[in-house]
Amino acid sequence: MEFSFDNFAKEGLHEECGVFGIFSDGTINPAYACYNGLLALQHRGQESCGIAVSDEGVIDYHKDMGLVTEVFNNKILDSLNGQMAVSHVRYSTAGGSVLENAQPLVMRYVKGTLSIAHNGNLTNALEIRRSLEQRGAIFQTTIDSEVICYVIARERLKCHSVEDAVARAMQVIEGAYSLLVMSPRKLIAARDPHGFRPLCMGKYNDSYVFASESAALDACGAEFVRDIEPGEIVIVDQNGVRSMKPDFGDKKKALCIFEYIYFARSDSFIDGVSVYEARKQAGRILARKYPVEADMVVGVPESGIDAAIGYSEESGIPYEKAIVKNSYIGRTFIKPSQKERMKSVKIKLNPIADKIKGKRVVIIDDSIVRGTTVDRIVTMLKEAGAKEVHMRISSPPFMWPCYYGTDIPSRGELIACNHTIEEITKLSKADSLGYLPVESLREMIHNAPVGFCDGCFTGNYPAPITKETFKGKERGGMNFDENNKKDN
């Protein structure tokens, strides 16, 4: 695949993935633990997955395109013997869905072997990559995770341990990253100083487990210990577990708020906040902000259901299951092309017509990005006989792209940037439309003392965006200087 900086900006900058790793005491099989953990994280990436294991310092791995159940079987898992492992599920945008971009990445260098699983997106990857290439580096992928590998390997030549190399690399790379790094003898977990992406730690007997979400700990029988703090490095080896907290200065804590709105599983806790309760709270806020006379509240499966329950409880309007989801269709939002998104919406959801006919329906969904889904849902409900359809959205309007790893596209593709709420209401054929107010985001997470990033709603970006990274999302009347002056 031919590489160009423009292609890299389009392919490598739109990821939302899941990571899982384990350092086993021998009472749990690392490969099987990873398999179960990845199943619990499948919603975070459905295009490729992989597991890398270390057996007394020898790293072996298997990865391929497809779902976890398609890529792995008992024979493959039984062949992956070792004492620790890292694993990954991934999705990409158009052009990046190729095997060489699947993770974990395994790199052999003068000090041994490194395996890395990464969730997030670097905002200075293009600049670092160009610098490395000018010094003779040859890249095998078009993802920024390989940039992280190179920087860690380079820094390892200058210091005495892998964890010190990770700490040094974290002073160089910028943006969003939750990392699992496996050397022949150590498992290292690291979270960027802003804490854009979630990462937590669990324990099973004397085995230590790391995962993007706490639900994945449950899947392998591990007990939740704590979240990895922003800017923290946790190291596990034969001597036990220890933590490093390098000095990154005063960085704004900025977990992606979309984790609570959409990405994470309802049964996960992220930075001490229940995802389920956050979504229910969003529904309660919508009921107070946008009351309406209706016969039923319906949630769009799956991430709209929790908010719908909250709306029902607050408003007193009965909640009904009136839409059935085909569980074998992947998430519409993370399909790699608009054509695939359109196909998925048409076969993913189906109404229960006798529940809806003649009724005034409040329908709750988590977001409107390009407007693909909302029009189809409203039309579907009205064709099933709904008398009225009132759309409520448990997030604010998307007004700005995301540069930290979520597939929020250029402003030119965001429907809220090109149409007023009244226009969107007419285009969707809804009888009314209400978004969660941006000022209610903190109330949604029950005023918890955690910082979050709302850049896709406000344009206030916690970490600076470089000019190279900006390329590919500059459409819609926004130039680099206008974009960057909104940084905090």
Side-chain angles (χ1 to χ4, degrees), residues 373-391:
T373 305
V374 62
D375 171 64
R376 176 61 185 170
I377 289 173
V378 174
T379 299
M380 177 181 69
L381 293 174
K382 291 199 169 182
E383 288 177 348
K387 184 178 179 182
E388 297 174 6
V389 177
H390 300 276
M391 180 67 70

Side-chain angles (χ1 to χ4, degrees), residues 136-204:
I138 299 173
F139 285 82
Q140 304 299 317
T141 77
T142 57
I143 57 176
D144 55 356
S145 306
E146 191 175 10
V147 171
I148 299 174
C149 282
Y150 269 98
V151 175
I152 293 174
R154 181 186 66 186
E155 296 301 325
R156 177 65 182 89
L157 301 179
K158 307 174 185 176
C159 57
H160 298 292
S161 68
V162 176
E163 57 266 34
D164 287 339
V166 172
R168 288 177 176 230
M170 289 173 68
Q171 300 288 350
V172 176
I173 60 178
E174 296 175 355
Y177 53 91
S178 284
L179 284 176
L180 295 180
V181 180
M182 184 173 67
S183 72
R185 305 293 178 185
K186 298 175 182 177
L187 180 61
I188 298 168
R191 193 175 178 193
D192 74 75
H194 294 282
F196 282 108
R197 297 293 158 207
L199 190 61
C200 62
M201 178 172 66
K203 194 176 182 184
Y204 180 93

Side-chain angles (χ1 to χ4, degrees), residues 163-277:
E163 57 266 34
D164 287 339
V166 172
R168 288 177 176 230
M170 289 173 68
Q171 300 288 350
V172 176
I173 60 178
E174 296 175 355
Y177 53 91
S178 284
L179 284 176
L180 295 180
V181 180
M182 184 173 67
S183 72
R185 305 293 178 185
K186 298 175 182 177
L187 180 61
I188 298 168
R191 193 175 178 193
D192 74 75
H194 294 282
F196 282 108
R197 297 293 158 207
L199 190 61
C200 62
M201 178 172 66
K203 194 176 182 184
Y204 180 93
N205 294 330
D206 288 325
S207 301
Y208 287 92
V209 183
F210 301 93
S212 291
E213 295 183 33
S214 61
L217 303 179
D218 300 334
C220 73
E223 178 185 358
F224 174 83
V225 175
R226 64 178 180 86
D227 292 288
I228 306 303
E229 297 179 12
E232 183 182 15
I233 302 169
V234 177
I235 308 100
V236 187
D237 58 20
Q238 292 294 337
N239 298 316
V241 60
R242 59 191 184 278
S243 172
M244 296 171 56
K245 295 181 181 178
D247 183 10
F248 295 102
D250 186 19
K251 298 285 188 180
K252 177 183 176 181
K253 303 302 183 288
L255 176 76
C256 174
I257 194 67
F258 212 47
E259 292 285 349
Y260 296 114
I261 295 168
Y262 179 80
F263 274 122
R265 275 177 41 158
S266 295
D267 51 340
S268 287
F269 283 76
I270 297 177
D271 286 348
V273 177
S274 164
V275 174
Y276 174 68
E277 290 299 332

Side-chain angles (χ1 to χ4, degrees), residues 283 286-287 292-300 304-323 355-356 359-365 381 390 392:
L286 286 170
V292 67
E293 292 187 4
D295 302 304
M296 67 173 65
V297 180
V298 178
V300 176
I305 291 176
D306 301 340
I309 293 171
Y311 193 103
S312 173
E313 290 179 352
E314 184 72 20
S315 66
I317 302 170
Y319 171 81
E320 288 281 358
K321 178 180 178 180
I323 297 178
K355 287 280 188 182
I356 294 169
K359 301 295 178 61
R360 299 166 298 175
V361 179
V362 177
I363 184 74
I364 312 291
D365 204 357
L381 293 174
H390 300 276
R392 300 293 181 264

